[in-house]
Amino acid sequence: MKITPKQYAEALVQALEGQSGAASEKLIANFVRLLAAQNDLGRAEQILERFGDVWRRQQGLVEAEIISARETSEKIQGAVRNFIARTTGAKTVSLAAKTDKALLGGFILKYGDNILDGSLKSRLAEMRIKLLND
Amino acid sequence: MAKNKDYIIEKLKQQIADFKSAPAVLNTGRVVEVGDGIARVAGLSQAMMSEMLEFKTAAGPVFGVALNLEEESVGAIILGDGKKIKEGDEVVALKKILEVPVGEGVVGRVVNPLGEALDGQGDIKAAKFYPVEKIAPGVITRASVNQPVQTGIKAIDAMIPIGRGQRELIIGDRQIGKTAIAIDTIINQKGQNMKCVYVAIGQKESKIAGIVAKLQEHGAMAYTTVVLAGASDPAALLYIAPYSGCAMAEYFLDKGEDVLIIYDDLSKHAVAYREISLLLRRPPGREAYPGDVFYLHSRLLERSCKLNKDYGGGSITALPIIETQANDISAYIPTNVISITDGQIYLQPDLFYQGNRPAVDAGLSVSRVGSAAQIKAMRKVAGKLRLEAAQYRELAAFAQIGSDLDKETKAKLDRGRRLMEIFKQDQYSPSPVANQVAIFFALTAGLLDTVPVEKIGEFEKGFSAYARNNGQKLLDEIAAKGELSEEMEKKLGTLVADFKSTLDYLIKKED
């Protein structure tokens, strides 16, 4: 029976729960040996990716990215963090902020696999389509 | 000029001011695999079944439909050019089912299943957008079928009449006249207060060009829409074509109008669905079709119905077409669709090659709505015809033996032969219902017994012309009232006798 990367990742997360530093190192070494025995070392990258997803979900950690036309202040970033925490039930939100002049205004917020597009560029495109069709 | 310019500027400013856009949170994913008209997308954890997806490619947005919801990915079909999509492209779920433009703007046009114009006459102006997938009307909203759909084909209108709101399957081998029946029916809907939708699934585009030209020639394009998913179109478009056509028909149904929709043909539709399902790695079943191929057609055909007065009283009549291989109506897809429809018109190759065209097999064909869908006049004269045709078929084999037959059998055989001659009809010449009533009346009253069998066809043509000049009032009365009173019967009898006495039909016409 084939073991999916997700199953490997979940197993690893469960195993590492509440373990101290030294014990964790031993566990990880064992895990790598398991992968070798199962001939699954080639999928190590995928498993690491899944591990990241599962770990974050378990810890209630959401990674988000906000791309805006101008610099965002701490106040705005805090409000965004609260919004994400409220809608996803996450305990911690790590927000990466970027700027992109091409947006003309507003921002694009990406968190988890959701995207909130409030950029002026997109709204102008929407308006263009609406005006052309009416 | 200045007035116009200012007016336009004012309007624009107002529209811009009124413009409200509330950006919504959308679910996204990334393309992991793409090819053969399908794409696998990672992410999209909140995608729903049959949800419309937008692939944000470098060359513009391409749309798709999510069909496979798996644990780690979503399998989607691509409605458009898959070549523009690369691995890693962003995909957004649009939170709605695929919609197509519907409205008066599609009448008279040739469109593709996404509602884009194919006839080069400009974009389609849509009144609304209707979803292609819809739950069929429930039991309470329906009414029983009671109005006829006059196909103009005598064999069908007499023995296997179709009503408004019925589903009647046209089934037969290739090149047997299935599309011809459908096109003649469309042509005969002129002035009958019906809109028509012809959905061409996997047909040769040259054939469709010919059909559109013929429909235009007969003035039928004024009330017909052609939805075309040609043979070289991706399987995804073939898959949604009939549902799009049905959505366009439902617009008129909701307005209380009657619509005739023809699916030509559902065999190719099932093959396209099989192609998509196998590419999406769904397990194959009998004949490699996926397990839900019955549901594929049942949910389409259940949307054709007759609604009761409280819901507008409109109807959609469906004429699905199925192509059999070597006459095998017990294959998988034919049996599926036969069990869904309210009857079938079975076309036999033997009859076709013997010269009986349309090659309708009266024995195997059935209409489960039957005479409830005939006008009273037709019921009166054609009620026994089905039985007579069946009896003739039984006796015809007998007659080939050539032995001495008693008078009654001979009479039945003669009557039957004349009936078969009357049922022969040219393509693109649908017969108005009053003419049909007249000729069947003549046959059942014995007025045609003295006409030689091989001259029956000419007799009928001659009689049509004669009636147009001398008896049009009577025919109009029959058509308007739908009844045949004693008095009208007498008048009709006199008309036929008059024509017979001119003996025009015995002289061959030089055309």
Side-chain angles (χ1 to χ4, degrees):
Chain A
M1 197 199 78
K2 222 164 174 246
I3 310 177
T4 65
K6 188 169 166 199
Q7 286 169 321
Y8 273 126
E10 280 178 347
L12 188 57
V13 167
Q14 269 185 13
L16 286 176
E17 196 156 338
Q19 297 287 339
S20 68
S24 304
E25 274 202 43
K26 258 179 77 181
L27 271 166
I28 291 170
N30 275 340
F31 184 73
V32 175
R33 245 173 261 138
L34 170 68
L35 283 186
Q38 293 282 332
N39 263 333
D40 273 333
L41 272 176
R43 291 154 76 197
E45 249 188 76
Q46 285 181 38
I47 296 171
L48 282 175
E49 224 185 281
R50 285 277 163 277
F51 178 78
D53 290 337
V54 177
W55 181 265
R56 277 189 288 272
R57 202 170 345 123
Q58 217 210 28
Q59 301 287 317
L61 168 69
V62 171
E63 282 200 1
E65 190 185 3
I66 180 165
I67 310 170
S68 51
R70 294 174 302 202
E71 284 285 328
T72 42
S73 69
E74 263 309 307
K75 210 171 95 175
I76 294 178
Q77 291 196 13
V80 168
R81 278 206 199 86
N82 285 339
F83 166 73
I84 296 173
R86 225 179 340 115
T87 47
T88 59
K91 286 186 229 139
T92 21
V93 180
S94 99
L95 185 62
K98 279 203 226 139
T99 54
D100 180 5
K101 282 265 170 0
L103 290 182
L104 301 176
F107 63 87
I108 297 179
L109 175 64
K110 296 186 190 173
Y111 60 98
D113 62 354
N114 293 321
I115 182 170
L116 177 57
D117 189 345
S119 68
L120 194 52
K121 187 168 99 174
S122 309
R123 289 180 69 184
L124 281 175
E126 251 180 80
M127 186 195 293
R128 182 170 173 271
I129 294 172
K130 188 164 182 294
L131 288 176
L132 282 176
N133 283 344
D134 281 343
Chain B
M1 264 312 283
K3 190 168 170 214
N4 277 350
K5 191 180 76 176
D6 287 335
Y7 175 70
I8 293 173
I9 294 180
E10 267 309 309
K11 270 282 11 230
L12 268 176
K13 280 195 189 157
Q14 195 189 15
Q15 282 205 333
I16 294 175
D18 286 342
F19 178 68
K20 284 189 211 333
S21 90
V25 179
L26 295 174
N27 212 222
T28 62
R30 233 181 353 101
V31 174
V32 169
E33 201 183 307
V34 65
D36 291 334
I38 60 143
R40 236 168 239 301
V41 182
L44 277 182
S45 56
Q46 272 141 46
M48 296 209 258
M49 184 65 187
S50 293
E51 190 174 0
M52 193 168 157
L53 306 175
E54 184 183 333
F55 294 84
K56 293 191 190 295
T57 70
V62 177
F63 294 102
V65 177
L67 280 191
N68 257 22
L69 303 178
E70 292 153 21
E71 193 178 4
E72 298 287 334
S73 64
V74 167
I77 54 172
I78 303 168
L79 296 166
D81 193 2
K83 293 194 206 66
K84 298 187 195 161
I85 303 176
K86 339 190 284 297
E87 190 223 331
D89 277 348
E90 196 182 315
V91 184
V92 168
L94 297 176
K95 287 203 183 20
K96 58 181 183 178
I97 296 184
L98 185 63
E99 292 176 336
V100 287
V102 300
E104 297 288 340
V106 305
V107 177
R109 307 297 304 271
V110 181
V111 295
N112 82 352
L114 299 173
E116 293 158 3
L118 295 175
D119 50 8
Q121 289 174 24
D123 287 335
I124 303 291
K125 294 227 180 324
K128 287 187 186 170
F129 281 82
Y130 266 30
V132 298
E133 295 281 0
K134 184 172 170 248
I135 303 210
V139 177
I140 298 297
T141 60
R142 296 181 185 230
S144 56
V145 174
N146 48 23
Q147 280 170 295
V149 169
Q150 302 293 356
T151 62
I153 297 168
K154 286 168 278 186
I156 298 176
D157 288 339
M159 298 190 292
I160 20 179
I162 305 176
R164 295 192 184 193
Q166 186 180 356
R167 293 83 48 89
E168 183 82 1
L169 173 65
I170 303 175
I171 185 167
D173 272 0
R174 53 179 180 77
Q175 300 292 96
I176 213 83
K178 305 186 293 291
T179 307
I181 289 184
I183 299 304
D184 277 3
T185 307
I186 294 182
I187 292 176
N188 200 43
Q189 296 315 306
K190 201 171 190 177
Q192 303 277 336
N193 213 9
M194 288 269 262
K195 294 264 183 337
C196 298
V197 179
Y198 177 75
V199 182
I201 307 160
Q203 304 295 322
K204 297 190 279 263
E205 307 217 7
S206 59
K207 176 179 167 192
I208 302 303
I211 287 175
V212 172
K214 254 297 168 233
L215 290 178
Q216 257 161 2
E217 192 186 310
H218 291 267
M221 280 309 280
Y223 50 85
T224 308
T225 304
V226 176
V227 178
L228 170 60
S232 59
D233 281 336
L237 284 180
L238 268 69
Y239 164 61
I240 60 158
Y243 301 106
S244 290
C246 200
M248 293 178 194
E250 276 165 350
Y251 172 78
F252 298 107
L253 173 74
D254 291 341
K255 281 172 71 187
E257 294 179 31
D258 296 320
V259 191
L260 172 71
I261 185 163
I262 293 165
Y263 303 110
D264 190 1
D265 55 58
L266 289 187
S267 315
K268 297 199 176 60
H269 181 233
V271 167
Y273 185 57
R274 174 173 65 182
E275 186 178 321
I276 300 174
S277 295
L278 290 174
L279 286 168
L280 287 171
R281 311 290 274 170
R282 289 184 178 180
R286 178 174 165 185
E287 288 179 34
Y289 286 105
D292 59 346
V293 74
F294 184 93
Y295 181 54
L296 175 78
H297 290 149
S298 65
R299 71 176 185 263
L300 171 68
L301 292 171
E302 277 297 305
R303 284 158 75 177
S304 306
C305 56
K306 168 138 186 81
L307 297 180
N308 62 30
K309 287 225 179 2
D310 302 334
Y311 290 85
S315 69
I316 299 181
T317 308
L319 293 181
I321 296 179
I322 289 272
E323 184 178 298
T324 50
Q325 300 297 327
N327 251 352
D328 184 17
I329 57 167
S330 49
Y332 191 27
I333 304 295
T335 46
N336 273 0
V337 185
I338 288 174
S339 63
I340 298 171
T341 52
D342 306 317
Q344 62 268 12
I345 299 170
Y346 187 33
L347 300 170
Q348 274 278 26
D350 296 340
L351 291 170
F352 187 82
Y353 294 120
Q354 277 168 20
N356 295 302
R357 299 168 201 187
V360 177
D361 182 337
L364 285 170
S365 307
V366 73
S367 165
R368 298 186 206 188
V369 165
S371 50
Q374 278 177 320
I375 57 173
K376 286 210 190 82
M378 185 64 104
R379 215 177 299 161
K380 204 170 182 187
V381 301
K384 296 259 176 45
L385 285 183
R386 195 144 176 218
L387 193 57
E388 285 197 24
Q391 286 175 337
Y392 171 69
R393 262 193 319 281
E394 292 294 310
L395 293 175
F398 203 21
Q400 287 205 329
I401 305 174
S403 50
D404 268 327
L405 301 163
D406 58 298
K407 223 172 62 158
E408 265 178 41
T409 319
K410 272 192 102 190
K412 272 213 171 69
L413 276 174
D414 285 337
R415 188 62 77 81
R417 267 189 222 114
R418 284 170 176 74
L419 181 62
M420 291 297 130
E421 274 303 309
I422 291 183
F423 281 153
K424 290 185 190 172
Q425 200 169 344
D426 287 335
Q427 205 178 3
Y428 310 126
S429 348
S431 180
V433 65
N435 292 51
Q436 291 189 30
V437 170
I439 199 74
F440 288 132
F441 170 76
L443 177 76
T444 50
L447 297 166
L448 297 180
D449 289 342
T450 47
V451 178
V453 174
E454 58 282 2
K455 296 285 180 192
I456 291 273
E458 277 170 41
F459 180 94
E460 211 194 318
K461 281 202 194 86
F463 178 67
S464 283
Y466 184 79
R468 210 177 309 133
N469 297 333
N470 303 35
Q472 192 57 43
K473 231 178 68 171
L474 178 59
L475 291 184
D476 288 341
E477 206 187 326
I478 298 176
K481 284 211 193 122
E483 282 184 334
L484 201 58
S485 61
E486 293 271 332
E487 200 196 309
M488 285 155 84
E489 270 187 27
K490 275 204 204 79
K491 280 199 213 151
L492 204 48
T494 334
L495 189 66
V496 177
D498 284 343
F499 176 65
K500 262 176 85 174
S501 62
T502 65
L503 291 180
D504 267 345
Y505 62 90
L506 278 180
I507 310 167
K508 208 157 168 44
K509 284 217 182 326
E510 309 289 319
D511 265 347

